Amino acid sequence: MLRTEEMLLNVGPQHPSTHGVFRLVIKIEGEIIKEATPVIGYLHRGTEKLAENLQYTQIIPYTDRMDYLAAMTNNYVLCHAVETMANITVPDRAEYLRVITMELGRIASHLVWWGTYLLDLGATSPFLYAFREREMIINLLNELCGARLTFNYMRVGGVKWDAPDGWLEKVAEFIPYMREQLHGYHQLVTGNEIFLNRVKGVGTYTREEAIAYSLSGANLRCTGVKRDLRKDEPYSIYNRFSFGVPTREAGDAWSRYECRMEEIEESLKILEQAVAQFPSDGPILAKVPKIIKPPKGEAFIRIESPRGEIGCYIASDGKKEPYRLKFRRPSFYNLQILPKLLEGENMANLIAILGAIDIVLGEVDG
Amino acid sequence: MMQELLQSAPSWTKVGIFFGLAVLFLFVVLGFVTFAILSERKIMGFMQMRIGPNQVGGSWGLLQTVADVLKLLLKEDTIPKKADRPLYILAPVLAFAPAFMVLATLPFTNQFQFADIGVGLLYYIAISGITTIGVVTAGWASNNKYSLMGGMRAAAQMISYEVPLVMSLVGVVLLAGSLNLREIVAAQEDIWFIFLQPVGFIVFFIAAIAELNRVPFDLPEAESELVAGFHVEYSGFRWAFFMLAEYVYMFAMAALTTLLFLGGWHSLPFLDFIPGAVSFALKFSVVIYVLIWIRVSFPRLRADQLMEFAWKVLLPIALANIFLTALLKELF
Amino acid sequence: MDKNELTRLKKEAAEKAKAAAIKRRQEKERQASESGQDLELAKKKAAAAAKAKAAAAARAKAKAASTEKKEEESSVEPSPNEPLLQRYIQIIERQVGTDSYEEYYINRLSKDVPTILAKPHTYMDIAQVLKQQLHFDFLAELHGTDFETHIEVYVYLCSLQNGQSVVLKVKLDRDNPMIPSLVPLWKGADWPECEAYDLIGIKFSGHPNLKRILLGEDWIGYPLRKDYKPHDEGV
């Protein structure tokens, strides 16, 4: 008797391409995926529960560990939410430092994505090139706040450390260097026929689907929706810089790739302007009480992280700890569309699609 | 010397001599594999701005691979409970033995060759196909889903690429008028076949990389998709056998490329003082270097694109090349 | 020009508020120093108030909040989002009914976002109106909060074409928190609802695949409820 059987395959939680402890149970016929069920929660640390017993400043280190590839934006969303509630005005110098660190973080995050995505597709070198540049960014941030990944840099009302002497010059030097390297990246990868074949037309969704599934960041912009909170609902001092919001129409992995690569260039533009406008003097921390007590009420604040819209909900009862803290974690929302995208695809495309969504498991699991 | 031995009357001493020479050659090949791996790591390191091995055996890491092999020998030999035991043990042998067998007909210089058989080229291609069985066996016997998928991919890929590989060589055979590797080299005395058969060379080289399961055609062991593909359950020296087979094939394929397209041991006209063996080694090294270079630069193809590429692109080109070669040979 | 004026106005308002706060504090200190007995009495009163029924407290809180709001509204200029909120409410009243919501207000703490507090039975209808008539096509956030007296679902919606945001809230019974799922309207509500179910224990009826997404099906209790006792307490 000849017959074919469907096979149940566990991809992860230990698998080279699931970027952490993500598990995907797939039903396959040969190499064709019939059904995919994501299983998450392996990295759930209960940040929101822990935060209920911590003061606001004490929560900042916990946010570092959510999206550990772009911890600065996480820092910022919490601080910004508290500042908005307590109506604290942040000094200019601090805002500039925040923007510079956040944009550096955005570039670093996209670099990791670029490297690992190509590693997923079987190219080993881009990973090392990307990490070389990322290392420089990390060194810059390390010099600023003494940590390479979990920065714990921002405070409610400003930042913790001022830029050391010569730091801004180093950032300014990094910008043209990164542009040059980016050019090299495009030469190595972007025109590669094999790469184009792997990503063009893979994991396509429409603009309507992207909106319906609450996708954000490059995952939304790749369908032609021009949405970037830095532009649409300017926070911090982003309205002082001119930069573009890269979009594409196709909605496939390739357009996501293009969007992210262009975002690096736009971030470099912001950095350039921020370094040029950097105020020579001034405080880096607003006059805030030692123990911050936002007024009674609730607030939900969103900003643009490298992965999409990151949000922070605070319900305060006027005490020094939040009554309830909730993060909108973009990777968590972005991952929802995965089962739909995987249906009918093969194993190789699974990796190409999952990688293009750009998830960080620390963020998915909270 | 070998020719005389082969044609003399059989006796146990002759068998002994043959065996001794084969063992000697095995060690030469193992030595090559040792340093091929090291050079691959060093070159990759150089291209990726890393240092590469630099601890074991001096600052060049000369003994790194030796240490790795020793580690593999000491490793626990695991056989999964649900594996098909006899097949699981047989598979690495099936994969490695043909890799070593194909070396017998390769002439490395005018004198140094084990068996000068009339259909050397055909022998190489026929024997190298057996390795596929070893890989599929390993994939099946491991009783692992990833292995199975890797094994199936390997079977599909290696069988598909065998076709354009052979077809691309027909042009060379037409020009040389022989399947004997020595005669093919002799026919390149004046001009290398890479210049007479550029299309054939390109098709051959692509198909050869696919046969070797190297990037960008490393689908059977695609790390990011299938974890390790067909050898995911293998450890220790059984695993080393697969790696060994892979590198011996790389050795053989680079040698074959040199013989068929780069004029074998013939030097360039104005560099006649270089001995044949050195000339051969230099060309051979260039081929190996290009193989490593390609590995560093390219991402991996997708299975369906791989098949399409073999049947819809490479095969028609190879066939057209045969037609053109035949036409040109007839006219000039 | 306009912006400058606005910031100036804001600053003035803030200064006024500050001055008022200082005055209030001084007043308080004066009262406190007048007699220690008063203080003790106040303490007792506070304790009694704490012991009082939660519902009453909540009502008082709500009252206090509303009076506070009134005060704010009288002192600070109206929010730019006020007309938007009025429009939403008008359309909701026309489509769902005048008593379909409990209250509506501008949340000044959260960048002036219009906030509508729905009733459990009209929650779905209002959501439908928001999506279909007002084009709130993007669900930015959905989560629940345990307020001890009740459980609240907080839905933050955006309209990408109009660039507007609105918050839809609903209060649920704490013992049996049950609400229709928003997945038919926004597919993006799928996992957030699972998360709310997992951590707070809100049941979303009509959800295609409601599961304990983060903790796993064998977890006991809902960790983000205020009365949750971890089974490995002390670790």
Side-chain angles (χ1 to χ4, degrees):
Chain A
M1 266 286 276
L2 274 176
R3 64 195 170 93
T4 55
E5 257 180 44
E6 280 183 351
M7 196 157 74
L8 213 58
L9 185 65
N10 246 320
V11 182
Q14 286 92 14
H15 185 279
S17 296
T18 51
H19 298 267
V21 281
F22 174 57
R23 177 171 156 220
L24 198 60
V25 182
I26 52 175
K27 208 183 267 175
I28 46 174
E29 205 180 281
E31 281 212 19
I32 305 299
I33 298 165
K34 293 279 161 199
E35 194 188 323
T37 318
V39 181
I40 61 171
Y42 292 92
L43 207 58
H44 181 64
R45 293 146 298 183
T47 311
E48 289 156 14
K49 180 76 183 167
L50 287 166
E52 286 174 11
N53 297 313
L54 296 168
Q55 296 179 20
Y56 289 96
T57 317
Q58 290 175 317
I59 303 168
I60 295 168
Y62 285 84
T63 65
D64 285 333
R65 282 146 183 87
M66 280 196 317
D67 179 357
Y68 41 76
L69 294 179
M72 284 296 182
T73 36
N74 300 6
N75 275 194
Y76 184 76
V77 73
L78 177 71
C79 294
H80 187 47
V82 179
E83 283 155 12
T84 313
M85 282 184 91
N87 199 13
I88 296 167
T89 320
V90 182
D92 243 18
R93 198 175 159 89
E95 285 286 24
Y96 274 100
L97 277 170
R98 283 175 168 194
V99 166
I100 290 172
T101 52
M102 278 197 287
E103 293 307 318
L104 281 175
R106 191 181 308 271
I107 295 170
S109 165
H110 281 341
L111 283 176
V112 174
W113 172 79
W114 185 75
T116 52
Y117 188 51
L118 279 144
L119 199 62
D120 288 350
L121 296 182
T124 40
S125 300
F127 181 73
L128 288 135
Y129 297 142
F131 266 58
R132 172 187 56 183
E133 271 75 69
R134 177 173 178 261
E135 195 66 22
M136 301 179 75
I137 295 177
I138 285 178
N139 284 339
L140 282 172
L141 295 177
N142 188 15
E143 206 176 316
L144 189 65
C145 52
R148 288 166 51 84
L149 215 56
T150 49
F151 304 112
N152 189 15
Y153 178 57
M154 295 183 195
R155 293 289 180 275
V156 176
V159 295
K160 176 72 183 160
W161 310 103
D162 202 351
D165 285 340
W167 189 78
L168 277 174
E169 285 72 43
K170 281 183 199 163
V171 175
E173 272 166 36
F174 173 76
I175 297 163
Y177 170 79
M178 187 63 224
R179 286 216 172 102
E180 202 186 310
Q181 296 304 323
L182 209 55
H183 179 67
Y185 292 180
H186 285 306
Q187 283 197 324
L188 176 66
V189 174
T190 310
N192 189 312
E193 203 61 40
I194 298 174
F195 173 70
L196 292 180
N197 274 324
R198 285 299 300 275
V199 291
K200 270 196 179 159
V202 170
T204 311
Y205 45 77
T206 63
R207 173 196 291 238
E208 286 70 33
E209 281 166 340
I211 294 171
Y213 276 94
S214 295
L215 304 188
S216 53
N219 291 310
L220 182 62
R221 289 191 282 271
C222 74
T223 60
V225 183
K226 202 169 174 136
R227 178 171 175 81
D228 188 326
L229 291 175
R230 291 177 294 174
K231 264 263 192 294
D232 296 341
E233 296 168 23
Y235 53 90
S236 188
I237 47 168
Y238 276 108
N239 49 10
R240 296 185 198 172
F241 309 118
S242 75
F243 61 96
V245 179
T247 55
R248 289 291 181 280
E249 297 296 327
D252 54 1
W254 165 241
S255 49
R256 265 159 265 167
Y257 173 89
E258 279 188 302
C259 280
R260 292 203 178 99
M261 293 311 269
E262 254 182 64
E263 271 169 38
I264 297 183
E265 280 166 41
E266 298 302 327
S267 287
L268 287 172
K269 274 188 207 162
I270 297 175
L271 275 179
E272 212 167 32
Q273 296 166 52
V275 170
Q277 296 172 15
F278 195 77
S280 55
D281 213 14
I284 53 158
L285 197 59
K287 282 203 171 60
V288 284
K290 270 254 163 59
I291 291 169
I292 299 141
K293 291 180 184 169
K296 194 184 288 178
E298 59 184 0
F300 179 66
I301 300 299
R302 297 163 307 143
I303 65 161
E304 189 77 22
S305 97
R307 259 153 274 281
E309 290 181 27
I310 186 165
C312 178
Y313 168 87
I314 297 176
S316 164
D317 51 358
K319 295 209 185 90
K320 58 185 192 291
E321 302 100 358
Y323 184 80
R324 165 96 163 99
L325 185 72
K326 170 80 172 70
F327 287 104
R328 179 208 202 263
R329 308 175 314 269
S331 294
F332 181 74
Y333 282 78
N334 289 348
L335 199 53
Q336 289 187 82
I337 200 171
L338 186 68
K340 185 189 166 296
L341 292 182
L342 288 183
E343 235 166 83
E345 297 285 353
N346 58 26
M347 272 298 281
N349 275 353
L350 183 157
I351 305 303
I353 292 170
L354 176 65
I357 294 177
D358 186 17
I359 52 164
V360 166
L361 260 295
E363 198 178 54
V364 172
D365 293 342
Chain B
M1 179 187 79
M2 295 303 289
Q3 217 55 28
E4 287 159 28
L5 271 171
L6 272 175
Q7 280 154 6
S8 59
S11 76
W12 281 114
T13 7
K14 303 251 166 71
V15 172
I17 293 170
F18 250 109
F19 189 76
L21 283 170
V23 169
L24 194 74
F25 189 54
L26 179 64
F27 276 100
V28 172
V29 172
L30 287 182
F32 160 78
V33 170
T34 307
F35 289 98
I37 292 173
L38 178 71
S39 66
E40 177 159 29
R41 292 177 66 178
K42 274 289 190 192
I43 294 169
M44 280 178 77
F46 160 68
M47 288 179 176
Q48 299 175 339
M49 286 155 308
R50 300 183 282 118
I51 297 166
N54 69 339
Q55 294 296 314
V56 190
S59 58
W60 288 0
L62 288 174
L63 295 176
Q64 181 65 49
T65 318
V66 179
D68 287 346
V69 171
L70 282 177
K71 186 211 84 176
L72 283 174
L73 276 171
L74 294 171
K75 251 179 124 166
E76 186 191 351
D77 174 38
T78 53
I79 299 180
K81 215 174 185 177
K82 292 273 179 73
D84 190 332
R85 218 181 145 84
L87 283 183
Y88 185 86
I89 294 166
L90 187 66
V93 182
L94 267 181
F96 176 71
F100 193 57
M101 278 164 72
V102 296
L103 297 178
T105 54
L106 296 176
F108 299 106
T109 69
N110 208 4
Q111 279 83 40
F112 185 54
Q113 185 185 20
F114 274 79
D116 183 21
I117 57 176
V119 288
L121 184 58
L122 202 61
Y123 168 86
Y124 179 101
I125 286 159
I127 297 294
S128 69
I130 297 177
T131 299
T132 316
I133 300 174
V135 170
V136 177
T137 311
W140 170 258
S142 302
N143 200 3
N144 178 308
K145 290 162 184 172
Y146 287 116
S147 296
L148 185 61
M149 282 165 83
M152 296 315 287
R153 278 185 179 191
Q157 175 178 338
M158 288 165 103
I159 290 166
S160 304
Y161 275 83
E162 205 99 317
V163 180
L165 185 83
V166 175
M167 290 301 167
S168 68
L169 292 178
V170 174
V172 171
V173 175
L174 276 174
L175 288 181
S178 168
L179 280 169
N180 183 303
L181 288 168
R182 286 165 76 96
E183 283 172 31
I184 290 174
V185 175
Q188 299 179 64
E189 178 104 51
D190 303 319
I191 184 161
W192 299 354
F193 281 157
I194 186 171
F195 300 114
L196 296 177
Q197 286 282 318
V199 180
F201 174 72
I202 292 168
V203 175
F204 169 80
F205 201 66
I206 294 173
I209 298 170
E211 280 289 294
L212 291 173
N213 287 337
R214 286 178 67 83
V215 175
F217 304 98
D218 60 338
L219 282 89
E221 44 189 298
E223 196 210 338
S224 54
E225 294 159 28
L226 302 181
V227 189
F230 62 87
H231 55 62
V232 73
E233 294 286 2
Y234 281 88
S235 75
F237 221 65
R238 288 185 212 283
W239 177 81
F241 259 83
F242 284 115
M243 284 294 108
L244 204 61
E246 208 179 303
Y247 278 89
V248 173
Y249 264 123
M250 191 166 129
F251 177 89
M253 200 54 98
L256 193 67
T257 313
T258 315
L259 291 172
L260 295 178
F261 290 99
L262 303 177
W265 50 84
H266 295 303
S267 298
L268 292 167
F270 48 89
L271 292 170
D272 279 338
F273 59 90
I274 298 175
V278 175
S279 175
F280 183 92
L282 283 175
K283 290 175 199 171
F284 171 87
S285 305
V286 169
V287 177
I288 296 275
Y289 181 82
V290 173
L291 284 173
I292 296 170
W293 189 2
I294 287 173
R295 177 176 170 184
V296 179
S297 331
F298 284 121
R300 183 184 307 119
L301 256 83
R302 202 170 68 208
D304 54 326
Q305 290 166 351
L306 180 96
M307 291 308 198
E308 255 182 53
F309 189 62
W311 294 104
K312 291 187 184 166
V313 181
L314 287 184
L315 189 61
I317 292 176
L319 289 175
N321 184 50
I322 295 172
F323 181 73
L324 199 71
T325 313
L327 208 67
L328 288 175
K329 193 170 160 83
E330 201 54 39
L331 292 175
F332 302 106
Chain C
M1 287 294 276
D2 260 1
K3 239 179 211 168
N4 282 342
E5 210 157 70
L6 210 89
T7 47
R8 192 177 55 80
L9 275 173
K10 266 188 193 165
K11 225 183 245 169
E12 271 178 20
E15 268 164 16
K16 253 185 216 166
K18 221 190 243 169
I22 290 168
K23 220 182 226 171
R24 235 177 289 150
R25 207 189 300 144
Q26 281 169 348
E27 182 96 349
K28 243 188 201 168
E29 275 166 11
R30 196 175 51 78
Q31 276 179 0
S33 61
E34 255 175 23
S35 68
Q37 271 187 337
D38 263 7
L39 202 76
E40 258 182 45
L41 220 124
K43 259 187 195 168
K44 263 182 204 162
K45 251 188 204 165
K51 271 178 205 159
K53 274 178 191 171
R59 220 178 301 137
K61 258 185 213 168
K63 224 181 231 170
S66 65
T67 50
E68 255 180 38
K69 212 186 304 149
K70 262 176 205 156
E71 266 176 29
E72 257 179 35
E73 266 160 24
S74 59
S75 61
V76 184
E77 79 275 16
S79 160
N81 285 341
E82 195 65 52
L84 285 177
L85 178 61
Q86 292 303 335
R87 211 183 114 233
Y88 303 156
I89 291 298
Q90 262 176 22
I91 290 174
I92 287 168
E93 278 180 350
R94 207 166 52 229
Q95 298 288 330
V96 192
T98 44
D99 56 347
S100 56
Y101 50 82
E102 277 183 33
E103 59 169 328
Y104 61 89
Y105 55 90
I106 297 280
N107 188 350
R108 285 182 179 276
L109 291 178
S110 180
K111 296 193 174 175
D112 287 327
V113 63
T115 308
I116 300 163
L117 182 60
K119 287 179 180 169
H121 65 277
T122 58
Y123 167 73
M124 194 64 186
D125 297 331
I126 292 181
Q128 216 143 19
V129 170
L130 286 176
K131 169 151 193 208
Q132 275 144 16
Q133 248 110 60
L134 292 161
H135 308 292
F136 283 102
D137 46 3
F138 187 84
L139 180 131
E141 165 76 358
L142 186 152
H143 68 256
T145 307
D146 176 17
F147 280 107
E148 285 166 280
T149 52
H150 60 275
I151 279 181
E152 196 177 88
V153 176
Y154 185 96
V155 185
Y156 194 101
L157 300 168
C158 295
S159 167
L160 296 189
Q161 48 177 329
N162 302 332
Q164 294 162 1
S165 310
V166 72
V167 170
L168 176 65
K169 298 206 295 183
V170 63
K171 284 180 181 173
L172 303 176
D173 175 22
R174 195 165 178 278
D175 300 320
N176 185 26
M178 185 89 159
I179 196 79
S181 164
L182 290 183
V183 177
L185 294 177
W186 294 279
K187 288 208 174 90
D190 185 345
W191 284 18
E193 285 186 353
C194 285
E195 196 190 10
Y197 167 66
D198 192 0
L199 301 177
I200 305 267
I202 304 165
K203 288 174 194 70
F204 294 91
S205 55
H207 189 284
N209 181 24
L210 198 64
K211 59 179 177 190
R212 303 202 70 160
I213 192 163
L214 292 174
L215 301 177
E217 297 297 338
D218 50 354
W219 195 274
I220 301 160
Y222 302 107
L224 284 182
R225 288 216 183 177
K226 291 288 173 182
D227 55 0
Y228 174 75
K229 291 265 182 297
H231 43 74
D232 51 355
E233 211 169 3
V235 173

